[in-house]
Structures are given as structure tokens and as C-alpha cells.
């Protein structure tokens, strides 16, 4: 079945890539970050302009400081009191420049935060808009997991690089560059002292960052492995327990965890030593030693003044903060790259084309003409031609994997065929708008998929405007009304919270849902009639009511299910190999093989044809 968790959408990217691909993925990640940020780029640019101005303004307090020092030292040396007017003016410049800088910086952050809010809102809307046009065949258990991660986690990860990245990274570059220029302007020798340790820092830092992009992508991939092992373990817990394999399934999770820690420890340990060394070059004690030590030598030689030494030493001390910010924002960009790629994957999910001139079907005749459909390289339906006549039940029979479910889902437009046409009432499904399609076809799936909502809402899923009487009428047809009325809250009972339903009860609710939709075409998974033998008779009766007078296709998983069908269609490896009534097909080899496999006694007469 298309909807089972064991299948994978063909267009889904594999969850792991080879290490050789990691660099390309890291580059693609940065392109994806830039693509996601495009709608708010002008706002980010405005924030960045403010940061540049604020960075340039950072020079002013230091210049004012040197000036203030000069005024005080000159007055001290002359043995007179400093000029109060000049002192006040210099202090005002110092305070004014500092406050304006802070104000501009905060304003820039505010702008990028608002941009980020708008972007996240837009991203979530775009994802929802995209998914409403995405073929149902795209949604599998794994795509659902990716979706959850994208909407919940990845939009938050991207926040760091949209709201903080442009401002903090630029500030961490502009401010130190402006300050260092200022230091050189104060005195070139002192300027050299303040940047003296930077080449050493960069040399060791780039050593520690070698292969960082690839490692980050690899880390992300290994974390994904842990998540998938966990999801697999939890999703399959029923079958795992039933076969006493908890230890083994658990082991897969532990193995993924162990592999991650081994990888992380090896990476972190080698990086740690070298990155400690790089940080030492810009640590406060080393900077003080170099700047004050070198500065005092220059001072003694009479080449510089004390305020100049103090100002350039303070400038040099700004460096470590800037380095740390650059490193942490770069790291955020790498993580955001992986998150942005996942978001772009979802934003680029395939979509079904919308009808340009929507048409309404005339009748409920279903015509499948030369239809083919593949999942990646697997050809699931191969040049199928079939007509479903209104008022008849057609049973689709064939071995597992022969393409029955795929063919049926194409009639509900879970996907568009790669070749050929599916028409209902003379209208190509691609020329029907969504609502018309929902009003025309309903699908009773093998898994009834009840929501954690009142039973009434579950039945009225396709017709939310239906009143209680209409809902009850549908439930009566589906043989489930009596049972619902025995529940303490009746139709307001919340499935999952107030009551647990048996498989058969859940299926009858799903049948009531289809009865209420009252569509002229019904696609039915015969397995709906098999899950709960105790209520099979009731389900059969409910189904008999449901299919009356409609165009019905039943996906038959066992030969006995063709009972009562007007016509049987046999599929094999994607092709329709035989069509006819049960009697007409008795000599057809594929049909006979299926009957034999299903343990159905074959007419003794036909033995002579063997
Ligand atoms: N989502 C998917 N991604 C990739 N291949 C798929 C997917 N769903 C089905 N297939 C493949 O397409 C082929 C037809 O599958 P389909 O489920 O239509 O067969 P089926 O006759 O309904 O089988 P069953 O009776 O076991 O449900 C099979 O080879 C199957 O492996």
C-alpha cells in the first residue's frame, strides 16, 4: 500500500550521504540559507547598514579617551587645573558616541528580529501552501518525520542566522577593523602591538577549523541516524515486542548513539587542543602583556604618551570578544545550512498542477486510459486500461506488489500518472478542482485513520457542515450507531481519549464517513473487511449499503473478496492481465493461480484444461 510505513517516496532524498558529498552539501546549505533569507533581504541590509555606522562610531569613545588623557596629563605637567570646558566637551562626545552606537546596534537587532519573525511566519505558510498541492503519494512515515523536524526545529535553527547572524557577524568584523584602524591612527607602533597576536591566532584557528564544514554535516547526519533509529524503534515497537526482539531493536539505537559518541570524541579531542592554543593568543593576559609591555618600552623611549598606550591596549582587549562571536556565528551558519536544506527540500516538494479551467464530471464513469506510474525506477502500473461502470463493483485482484493500490490511488489523484489519463464522468482529473474531486471520489483506506476528536467530527470529516441527524443516519447505514449510543458521551466521545475502538468499530466509522460524503465513486480497500473477524458480518453489511448504486473499485487482497463483484480485474507486475466475471476467468491462468494460492477450490471441470 502507498500509505504504509514500509514504503519510501521515490523523490525523497536518502537520509544519509557519503562523506565525499558533505562539502557539496555544506555549500548547498549556505545557498539554501541565502535563498530562505531572500524575502527579508532588504530589511537585513538595513540592519547591516546600521551595524556599519555603529561599528564606525565605536572609534569615537577611544579618540575622546586619548584626548581626555592628553588634556589631563598636559594640565598635570603644567601644574594647572584642566580646562573644564574642554573636559566636558570631550566627555560629552565620549558618552554621546557610545550611547548612539548602542542605540543603532539595538535598532539593527530589532529590525533583523522582526524580519526573522516575518520570515518564519512566511516559511510556515509556504510549507502549508506547498503541502496542500503536494500529491498524497509523497507523504510517507519518513516524510512526516522530516516535516515535523522542518516546521518545529529547522525554522528555529534558521532564526539564529537571520535574526542574529547578519548583525553580530558584521559587527564582529566592522568594530575591530575600525578600532584597529583607530589604533594605527593613534600610533602605528602601538597599532602593530595591538594586532601582533592576530596572525598567530588565525594560523592556529584555521588549523583547528580544517574540515569543519564537512564534519558539521557529518555530525548532523549521524544525529539524524540516531533519530531514525529511535523513530524506527518506537514506530515498530509492537512488532518488535511481539517477536521478542526489543534487545535487538534497542541495539540499533545504541549502536547509532555509540557511533556518534566515538565520532564526536575523536573530532572534539583533536580540535580542542589546537583551538585552546589559538584562543591563548587573544586571551586577556597575553594581550595585556604584549600591549602594556611593548607600550611601556615605547613610552620610556618618549615615542608615545600614556593615554595612547592605554587607549590602544583597551582596543586590543576588544578582540577576543569579536573572535568568539565570529566563531560562534560561523558555527550557527553551518548548522543553519543543514536546516535550510531540509526546509528547501520541503518547499520544493512535488506539486499537482491546478486546473486552469475546472470542469465538472458528467456521471460517474471512470476511464483509465493507458496509464503508467513509477516510483523512481519501480514501474508500479504499466499501460493500464480499465473502465469502471456506474452501479457496478469491480474487484482488483493480483499478487502483492502487482500495483493494485497504486492504480486505485491514481483514481483519487494521490498522484498524477506519468503517462495516460484518468477520467471521471468524461473529465480528466487534472481538469477538476480539488473540491469537485473530493465530492466525486472517496477512499476507504485499509487504516481508518481516526483523529483524536469526537466521533461526530470523525464521521463528518469530509462534510463538516453535516448536522447530528445526518451523521447518525450515516452511522446507522454503517451499522455503528447502536454502539456509539452506548458510549457515555455518545457522538461527543473523543476517540483515543475517552474510548479505545476495536479495528472493526474504527472501520465502520470510516465507512460511515464515506456514506456521509455520498460520493458517486468509491475506492475500497478490501482489507477493511478483514481486520476484525468478529464484526465481519456487520462490516460486510455496511459495505453492501455503502456501494449500492455507485461506481466501486475494491482492492482485493484475497480471492474470496471478489464475491459479489460484477467484474474482476487481475493485475500482475503492474499490467492488467485479465478482465471478466469470476466464471469467465476460471480458465485464465493468472486468476486460477491466485485462486489456488488463496485456497479457493477451482471448478473440477477446468482441471481438464490444465
Ligand atoms: N511509496 C512507494 N515508493 C516506492 N515504491 C513503492 C511505493 N509504494 C509502492 N511501491 C512499489 O510499487 C509496486 C506496486 O505497489 P502497490 O502497493 O501498488 O501493490 P499492491 O498490489 O497494492 O500490493 P499489496 O497488495 O501488497 O498492497 C511495488 O513494487 C511496490 O514495492
Amino acid at each position: 500500500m502507498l500509505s504504509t510505513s514500509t514504503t519510501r517516496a521515490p523523490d525523497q532524498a536518502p537520509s544519509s550521504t557519503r562523506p565525499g558529498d558533505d562539502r557539496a552539501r555544506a555549500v548547498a546549505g549556505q545557498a539554501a540559507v541565502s535563498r530562505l533569507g531572500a524575502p527579508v533581504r532588504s530589511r537585513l541590509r538595513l540592519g547591516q547598514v546600521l551595524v556599519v555606522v555603529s561599528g564606525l562610531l565605536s572609534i569615537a569613545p577611544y579618540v575622546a579617551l586619548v584626548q581626555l588623557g592628553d588634556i589631563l596629563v598636559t594640565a598635570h605637567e603644567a601644574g594647572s587645573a584642566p580646562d573644564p570646558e574642554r573636559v566636558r566637551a570631550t566627555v560629552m562626545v565620549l558618552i554621546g558616541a557610545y550611547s548612539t552606537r548602542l542605540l543603532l546596534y539595538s535598532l539593527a537587532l530589532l529590525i533583523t528580529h522582526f524580519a526573522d519573525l516575518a520570515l518564519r511566519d512566511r516559511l510556515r505558510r509556504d510549507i502549508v501552501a506547498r503541502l496542500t498541492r503536494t500529491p498524497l503519494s509523497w507523504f510517507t512515515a519518513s516524510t512526516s518525520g522530516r516535516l515535523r523536524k522542518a516546521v518545529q526545529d529547522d525554522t528555529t535553527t534558521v532564526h539564529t542566522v537571520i535574526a542574529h547572524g547578519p548583525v553580530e557577524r558584521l559587527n564582529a568584523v566592522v568594530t575591530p577593523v575600525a578600532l584597529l584602524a583607530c589604533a594605527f591612527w593613534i600610533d602605528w607602533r602601538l597599532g602593530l602591538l595591538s594586532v601582533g597576536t592576530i596572525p598567530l591566532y588565525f594560523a592556529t584557528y584555521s588549523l583547528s577549523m580544517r574540515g569543519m564544514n564537512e564534519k558539521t554535516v557529518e555530525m548532523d547526519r549521524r544525529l539524524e541516524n540516531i533519530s531514525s533509529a529511535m523513530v524506527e524503534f518506537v514506530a515498530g515497537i509492537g512488532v518488535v515486542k511481539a517477536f521478542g526482539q526489543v534487545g535487538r531493536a534497542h541495539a540499533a539505537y545504541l549502536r547509532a548513539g555509540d557511533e556518534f559518541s566515538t565520532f564526536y570524541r575523536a573530532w572534539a579531542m583533536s580540535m580542542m587542543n589546537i583551538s585552546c592554543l589559538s584562543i591563548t593568543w587573544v586571551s586577556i593576559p597575553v594581550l595585556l602583556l604584549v600591549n602594556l609591555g611593548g607600550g611601556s618600552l615605547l613610552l620610556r623611549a618618549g615615542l608615545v604618551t600614556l593615554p595612547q598606550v592605554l587607549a590602544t591596549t583597551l582596543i586590543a582587549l576588544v578582540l577576543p570578544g569579536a573572535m568568539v562571536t565570529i566563531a560562534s556565528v560561523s558555527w550557527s551558519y553551518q548548522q543553519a545550512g543543514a536546516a535550510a536544506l531540509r526546509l528547501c527540500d520541503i518547499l520544493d516538494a512535488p506539486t499537482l498542477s491546478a486546473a486552469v479551467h475546472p470542469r465538472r464530471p458528467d456521471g460517474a464513469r471512470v476511464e483509465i486510459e493507458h496509464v503508467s506510474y513509477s516510483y523512481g525506477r519501480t514501474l508500479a502500473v504499466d499501460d493500464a486500461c480499465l473502465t469502471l461502470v456506474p452501479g457496478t463493483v469491480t474487484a482488483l485482484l493480483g499478487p502483492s506488489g502487482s500495483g493494485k493500490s497504486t492504480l486505485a490511488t491514481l483514481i483519487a489523484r494521490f498522484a498524477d500518472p506519468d503517462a495516460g489519463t484518468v477520467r471521471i464522468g468524461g473529465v480528466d482529473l487534472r481538469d477538476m478542482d480539488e473540491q469537485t474531486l473530493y465530492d466525486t471520489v472517496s477512499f476507504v483506506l485499509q487504516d481508518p485513520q481516526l483523529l483524536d476528536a469526537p466521533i461526530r467530527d470523525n464521521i463528518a470529516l469530509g462534510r463538516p457542515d453535516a448536522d447530528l441527524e445526518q451523521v447518525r443516519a450515516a452511522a446507522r447505514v454503517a451499522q455503528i450507531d447502536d454502539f456509539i449510543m452506548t458510549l457515555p458521551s455518545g457522538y461527543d466521545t473523543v476517540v483515543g481519549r475517552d474510548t479505545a475502538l476495536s479495528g472493526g468499530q474504527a472501520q465502520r466509522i470510516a465507512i460511515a464517513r464515506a456514506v456521509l460524503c455520498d460520493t458517486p465513486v468509491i475506492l475500497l480497500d478490501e482489507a477493511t473487511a478483514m481486520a476484525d473477524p468478529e464484526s465481519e458480518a456487520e462490516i460486510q453489511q455496511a459495505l453492501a449499503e455503502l456501494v449500492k448504486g455507485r461506481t466501486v473499485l475494491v482492492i482485493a487482497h484475497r480471492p474470496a473478496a471478489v464475491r459479489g463483484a460484477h467484474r474482476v480485474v487481475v493485475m500482475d507486475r503492474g499490467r492488467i492481465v485479465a478482465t471478466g466475471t469470476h466464471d469467465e476467468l476460471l480458465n485464465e491462468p493468472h486468476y486460477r493461480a491466485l485462486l489456488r494460492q488463496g485456497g479457493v477450490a477451482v471448478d473440477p471441470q477446468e482441471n481438464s484444461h490444465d
Side-chain angles (χ1 to χ4, degrees):
M1 280 291 298
L2 284 169
S3 54
T4 56
S5 56
T6 50
T7 52
R8 186 172 74 75
D11 30 32
Q12 178 198 337
S15 64
S16 61
T17 51
R18 278 172 293 118
D21 299 337
D22 290 348
R23 174 172 276 279
R25 249 181 106 72
V27 173
Q30 293 319 304
V33 169
S34 150
R35 172 185 155 188
L36 292 182
V40 290
R41 183 147 303 139
S42 51
R43 286 194 249 177
L44 300 184
R45 292 266 180 272
L46 176 63
Q48 288 181 317
V49 169
L50 295 180
V51 168
V52 172
V53 178
S54 127
L56 294 177
L57 269 179
S58 64
I59 303 170
Y62 294 92
V63 175
L65 203 66
V66 174
Q67 244 174 11
L68 189 65
D70 280 344
I71 294 167
L72 297 179
V73 170
T74 316
H76 177 72
E77 282 169 0
S80 59
D83 178 358
E85 266 313 303
R86 285 187 66 201
V87 170
R88 186 153 8 99
T90 316
V91 169
M92 288 310 285
V93 168
L94 199 149
I95 295 174
Y98 189 72
S99 328
T100 315
R101 167 176 158 68
L102 275 189
L103 187 75
L104 290 179
Y105 188 72
S106 312
L107 199 61
L109 269 181
L110 197 70
I111 290 174
T112 52
H113 269 78
F114 275 119
D116 171 62
L117 270 183
L119 183 70
R120 279 201 276 172
D121 182 50
R122 188 190 166 121
L123 265 179
R124 291 193 169 118
R125 280 168 199 271
D126 285 354
I127 288 177
V128 171
R130 186 78 186 187
L131 295 184
T132 53
R133 291 184 291 127
T134 299
L136 272 173
S137 58
W138 183 81
F139 295 89
T140 61
S142 53
T143 48
S144 307
R146 280 160 64 211
L147 262 176
R148 189 202 54 74
K149 187 166 170 46
V151 175
Q152 277 180 6
D153 308 341
D154 293 342
T155 45
T156 309
T157 310
V158 171
H159 156 86
T160 324
V161 297
I162 299 292
H164 296 269
V167 169
E168 289 173 7
R169 192 156 71 162
L170 195 59
N171 182 58
V173 174
V174 172
T175 304
V177 167
L179 288 178
L180 288 176
C182 174
F184 275 92
W185 174 76
I186 291 171
D187 182 86
W188 66 270
R189 287 157 292 225
L190 291 176
L192 277 182
L193 280 182
S194 54
V195 294
T197 57
I198 293 184
L200 296 169
Y201 167 80
F202 275 119
T204 37
Y205 178 74
S206 54
L207 258 181
S208 75
M209 292 301 281
R210 227 173 20 191
M212 185 70 157
N213 275 0
E214 292 88 329
K215 291 283 186 198
T216 312
V217 173
E218 191 179 346
M219 185 179 84
D220 203 57
R221 207 181 60 227
R222 284 177 189 269
L223 280 174
E224 256 182 45
N225 287 348
I226 295 184
S227 291
S228 335
M230 192 59 187
V231 168
E232 232 166 69
F233 176 57
V234 173
I237 190 75
V239 68
V240 164
K241 278 199 164 202
F243 288 91
Q245 295 299 316
V246 176
R248 250 166 73 179
H250 190 211
Y253 173 65
L254 288 182
R255 197 169 44 248
D258 283 348
E259 278 171 11
F260 176 76
S261 5
T262 313
F263 155 79
Y264 195 74
R265 203 176 307 125
W267 176 34
M269 285 309 287
S270 68
M271 201 175 70
M272 212 49 103
N273 300 334
I274 201 146
S275 82
C276 281
L277 182 63
S278 70
I279 286 172
T280 308
W281 294 120
V282 286
S283 64
I284 290 177
V286 171
L287 290 174
L288 283 178
L289 189 72
V290 172
N291 284 274
L292 287 181
S296 56
L297 291 177
L298 292 169
L299 188 64
R300 186 181 292 176
L303 296 169
V304 294
T305 63
L306 181 61
Q308 287 177 321
V309 174
L310 290 178
T312 52
T313 304
L314 286 179
I315 287 175
L317 292 183
V318 173
L319 293 178
M323 304 291 181
V324 170
T325 309
I326 291 180
S328 83
V329 176
S330 307
W331 169 250
S332 309
Y333 268 88
Q334 275 146 16
Q335 280 187 320
L341 268 184
R342 279 191 291 268
L343 283 166
C344 286
D345 265 3
I346 289 173
L347 289 170
D348 294 338
T351 54
L352 292 176
S353 60
V356 186
H357 302 293
R359 293 173 56 201
R360 295 199 68 80
D362 175 16
R365 192 182 182 82
V366 176
E367 291 157 307
I368 296 169
E369 279 177 16
H370 299 289
V371 160
S372 298
Y373 184 81
S374 301
Y375 298 96
R377 290 205 196 129
T378 312
L379 181 60
V381 175
D382 183 7
D383 197 29
C385 291
L386 175 67
T387 300
L388 307 180
V389 180
T392 66
V393 175
T394 304
L396 201 52
L397 195 66
S400 179
S402 57
K404 306 180 293 291
S405 307
T406 305
L407 186 63
T409 53
L410 292 176
I411 301 175
R413 208 182 174 203
F414 279 23
D416 281 334
D418 300 331
T421 320
V422 181
R423 286 200 189 85
I424 299 181
V427 177
D428 188 328
L429 296 190
R430 287 168 284 215
D431 294 331
M432 245 183 238
D433 64 30
E434 237 174 36
Q435 195 51 50
T436 310
L437 183 68
Y438 292 144
D439 291 344
T440 310
V441 186
S442 51
F443 206 143
V444 183
L445 295 164
Q446 191 169 356
D447 174 2
Q449 301 274 4
L450 297 189
L451 310 178
D452 288 353
I455 291 184
R456 178 183 171 165
D457 295 350
N458 263 294
I459 295 179
L461 193 65
R463 277 196 47 201
D465 54 329
D467 62 30
L468 184 58
E469 245 337 287
Q470 290 168 314
V471 171
R472 284 199 65 185
R476 273 194 286 273
V477 174
Q479 314 281 318
I480 190 73
D481 176 64
D482 289 346
F483 166 73
I484 297 171
M485 293 310 281
T486 62
L487 296 171
S489 311
Y491 278 81
D492 292 324
T493 308
V494 174
V495 176
R497 190 192 69 190
D498 301 342
T499 185
L501 299 173
S502 75
Q505 288 155 353
Q507 278 159 5
R508 277 178 286 154
I509 287 182
I511 293 172
R513 200 185 262 170
V515 171
L516 190 63
C517 282
D518 195 23
T519 57
V521 179
I522 290 195
L523 309 170
L524 207 62
D525 201 315
E526 171 260 342
T528 41
M530 289 195 58
D532 187 357
E534 279 172 28
S535 53
E536 184 164 350
E538 282 156 317
I539 292 175
Q540 287 299 351
Q541 201 179 333
L543 289 175
E545 288 294 326
L546 172 69
V547 302
K548 258 186 210 160
R550 302 177 204 264
T551 311
V552 180
L553 181 73
V554 181
I555 305 166
H557 295 276
R558 50 179 191 156
V562 304
R563 236 179 349 177
H566 298 98
R567 206 157 55 118
V568 180
V569 172
V570 184
M571 285 191 82
D572 189 47
R573 279 177 275 177
R575 296 189 75 89
I576 292 180
V577 288
T579 308
T581 61
H582 168 75
D583 290 341
E584 284 166 2
L585 291 178
L586 273 176
N587 288 331
E588 202 287 322
H590 294 93
Y591 188 59
R592 283 180 45 168
L594 287 168
L595 290 185
R596 276 209 204 90
Q597 275 167 21
V600 176
V602 182
D603 186 345
Q605 253 187 333
E606 51 86 17
N607 285 339
S608 58
H609 301 295
D610 277 349

